[in-house]
Amino acid sequence: MLKVKNVNVFYGNIQAIRDVSLEVNEGEIVTLIGANGAGKSTLLKTVSGLLKPKQGQIVYEGKTINGKAAQTIVKQGISHVPEGRRIFANMSVEENLELGAFLRKDKAGIREDMEKVYELFPRLLERLKQQAGTLSGGEQQMLAMGRALMARPRLLLLDEPSMGLAPLLVKTIFRIIEEINKTGTTILLVEQNANLALSIAHRAYVVETGRIVLSGSAEELTASEQVKMAYLGGH
């Protein structure tokens, strides 16, 4: 579904991504694990069109998408849940969700998807008219995910969904990520909590200083001594 081929990305003169190649097959959850500043978020931003690669190619469903505008990429079926949630704080929960469907015209479909979001995240239904900025961190994460789903993506990019959340909420969010995947949405996940990410992913890539240094099935990487020592607390 998604092929990233020899991609290089720079911030000014600083190279953030070096010759990265990876692929995501339809129906998979693929996770990128690695330390802070390794380039994982940069990679997601490059796939979603927020950053332009200097070299390399990004192919989605057989079409080259690098260099295209972010809104064009959303239209093609990729939604991005950014790190730090980035909800519209002074708008209501409902308005945030409606903005997720901004590019759509199918009113009946939008209503149907709203219902689906409320089924996944009942807490949002309880807080429909509330200002999004007054929600807890966990609720804001639910809203950011719900908003992305309103674009009806076939590929969902999730950046650090567990960041700053209480352990119990993290479990809930990850259970919902699995549910979203089971209903047919492919997921590329960036997550600090490597144990958790590997527990729900099909495959994984380890990113270090902008390069992919290891890849394999989630089971292989969970069993790898190198990964255990670096990312899984050495157990």
Side-chain angles (χ1 to χ4, degrees), residues 2 65 139 145 159 178 197 203 205 214:
L2 179 73
I65 59 167
E139 288 160 355
M145 287 165 66
D159 197 352
E178 285 190 288
R203 290 187 306 110
Y205 292 89
L214 266 179

Side-chain angles (χ1 to χ4, degrees), residues 31-232:
T31 186
L32 305 175
I33 58 177
N36 257 336
K40 308 182 303 297
S41 295
T42 301
L43 197 56
L44 290 196
K45 285 179 186 159
T46 308
V47 171
S48 69
L50 296 172
L51 293 172
K52 306 280 182 268
K54 199 162 186 179
Q55 284 102 16
Q57 204 185 12
I58 299 168
V59 179
Y60 169 67
E61 294 188 328
K63 297 185 185 84
T64 300
I65 59 167
N66 45 293
K68 287 201 169 162
Q71 65 268 30
T72 308
I73 291 173
V74 173
K75 242 182 195 150
Q76 284 184 284
I78 300 178
S79 280
H80 187 169
V81 181
E83 187 180 356
R85 342 229 196 272
R86 300 288 180 88
I87 51 151
F88 300 105
N90 54 358
M91 296 174 117
S92 71
V93 165
E94 191 172 26
E95 287 165 337
N96 268 271
L97 292 174
E98 284 166 355
L99 274 173
F102 185 74
L103 294 171
R104 294 173 59 184
K105 301 282 181 279
D106 55 322
K107 286 211 167 66
I110 291 171
R111 262 201 311 278
E112 195 182 302
D113 286 351
M114 276 275 196
E115 293 305 320
K116 281 186 196 157
V117 167
Y118 301 147
E119 272 170 41
L120 277 174
F121 305 107
R123 197 113 31 117
L124 296 182
L125 184 56
E126 292 163 23
R127 293 175 172 41
L128 264 197
K129 303 297 177 195
Q130 198 170 315
Q131 266 203 337
T134 63
L135 299 176
S136 71
E139 288 160 355
Q140 290 189 13
Q141 183 60 49
M142 291 172 186
L143 180 55
M145 287 165 66
R147 181 183 59 185
L149 290 172
M150 287 302 297
R152 206 174 262 190
R154 293 189 296 285
L155 174 63
L156 185 63
L157 310 177
L158 275 175
D159 197 352
E160 300 287 6
S162 81
M163 192 184 265
L165 301 187
L168 201 64
L169 258 176
V170 171
K171 280 206 174 81
T172 305
I173 294 283
F174 270 72
R175 196 193 67 242
I176 293 165
I177 292 169
E178 285 190 288
E179 274 179 49
I180 292 167
N181 176 245
K182 286 194 179 97
T183 59
T185 307
T186 305
I187 293 173
L188 179 57
L189 168 70
V190 161
E191 177 54 57
Q192 255 336 120
N193 185 331
N195 275 309
L196 208 57
L198 290 170
S199 75
I200 67 163
H202 301 96
R203 290 187 306 110
Y205 292 89
V206 178
V207 186
E208 278 176 16
T209 57
R211 286 192 170 87
I212 286 173
V213 292
L214 266 179
S215 67
S217 71
E219 290 81 21
E220 286 165 351
L221 291 192
T222 305
S224 145
E225 286 307 318
Q226 195 179 339
V227 173
K228 274 186 202 168
M229 291 308 291
Y231 304 108
L232 305 179

